[in-house]
């Protein structure tokens, strides 16, 4: 086995392990968004198979004076974020051609994590109609890096897809991608 094959196998193992942990949380944790009456029958989310083509290096453009954005929340209210960086990367389209895309990296007041809500060509068909999210916890300051790894295999469905008790920000139009991303969580079917 080559080092690359070993790295790929380790990456896939970690992705599957994180998915199993999330499924366990959804099935049994008191803070799970899954209705308590449905948890006993819950046997896990539906995921796309891990695909390294959707784990990409993105160029980082840090914004020195981050623009404030009000994201519409599914319940009609709004949440405030700051557009702290833009990530530029390529993804394959349906024909396998590389397509250049960008994502606005957002940060909530007081948070160190970057929030990347997005829509793609699977939204409302194979994935939740409100879009999906990724969180990024960069090591160090974004000003000190030229690239970050975006792993769409970790894209997840917001809690509002499971329960109306949660209100989730909708992706800004800047984060509506022109390609299908068959990676990460599929639309949850809790019926």
């Amino acid at each position: 086995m080559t080092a690359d094959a070993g790295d790929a196998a380790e990456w896939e193992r970690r992705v599957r392990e994180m998915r199993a942990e999330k499924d366990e949380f959804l099935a049994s944790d008191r803070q799970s968004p899954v209705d308590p009456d449905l948890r006993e029958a819950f046997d896990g989310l539906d995921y796309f198979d891990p695909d390294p083509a959707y784990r990409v290096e993105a160029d980082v453009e840090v914004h020195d004076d981050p623009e404030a954005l009000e994201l519409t929340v599914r319940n009609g209210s709004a949440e405030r974020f700051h557009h702290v960086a833009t990530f530029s990367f390529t993804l394959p389209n349906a024909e396998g051609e590389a397509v250049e895309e960008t994502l606005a990296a957002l940060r909530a007041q007081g948070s160190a994590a970057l929030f990347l809500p997005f829509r793609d060509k699977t939204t409302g068909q194979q994935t939740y109609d409100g879009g999906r999210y990724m969180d990024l916890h960069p090591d160090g300051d974004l000003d000190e890096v030229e690239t970050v790894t975006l792993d769409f295999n970790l894209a997840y469905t917001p809690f509002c897809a499971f329960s109306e008790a949660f209100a989730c920000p909708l992706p800004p139009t800047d984060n509506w991608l022109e390609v299908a991303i068959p990676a990460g969580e599929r639309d949850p079917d809790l019926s």
Side-chain angles (χ1 to χ4, degrees), residues 7-85:
D7 291 346
E10 177 61 18
W11 164 78
E12 184 173 336
R13 184 195 66 73
R14 284 194 320 266
V15 168
R16 292 187 186 282
E17 185 177 277
M18 286 186 277
R19 290 174 174 185
E21 289 171 5
K22 178 157 189 183
D23 288 343
E24 177 62 27
F25 165 80
L26 292 173
S28 62
D29 195 278
R30 291 181 44 215
Q31 296 196 16
S32 170
V34 175
D35 185 304
D37 295 336
L38 301 176
R39 289 183 196 160
E40 188 172 318
F42 179 76
D43 64 353
L45 294 175
D46 190 14
Y47 300 93
F48 292 100
D49 287 335
D51 186 343
Y54 296 100
R55 185 174 190 253
V56 299
E57 290 300 308
D59 293 328
V60 177
E61 177 191 349
V62 175
H63 303 295
D64 294 329
D65 187 19
E67 173 189 0
L69 293 176
E70 297 280 332
L71 295 189
T72 302
V73 177
R74 195 82 193 218
N75 68 6
S77 63
E79 281 190 35
R80 187 180 183 97
F81 293 87
H82 288 90
H83 181 183
V84 297

Side-chain angles (χ1 to χ4, degrees), residues 8 16 22 24 44 54 65 93-94 97 108 121 129 131 173 176:
R16 292 187 186 282
K22 178 157 189 183
E24 177 62 27
Y54 296 100
D65 187 19
N93 65 12
E97 300 164 334
K121 296 298 183 187
D129 67 1
T173 55
W176 291 18

Side-chain angles (χ1 to χ4, degrees), residues 11-12 14-20 23 44-55 118-129 131-133 151-157 179-188:
W11 164 78
E12 184 173 336
R14 284 194 320 266
V15 168
R16 292 187 186 282
E17 185 177 277
M18 286 186 277
R19 290 174 174 185
D23 288 343
L45 294 175
D46 190 14
Y47 300 93
F48 292 100
D49 287 335
D51 186 343
Y54 296 100
R55 185 174 190 253
F118 71 95
R119 295 175 58 97
D120 66 281
K121 296 298 183 187
T122 69
T123 302
Q125 299 172 52
Q126 296 171 290
T127 61
Y128 178 59
D129 67 1
R132 291 183 289 163
Y133 297 167
D151 192 344
F152 288 92
N153 293 279
L154 305 179
Y156 65 93
T157 305
V179 296
I181 302 178
E185 294 179 12
R186 294 178 183 261
D187 195 18

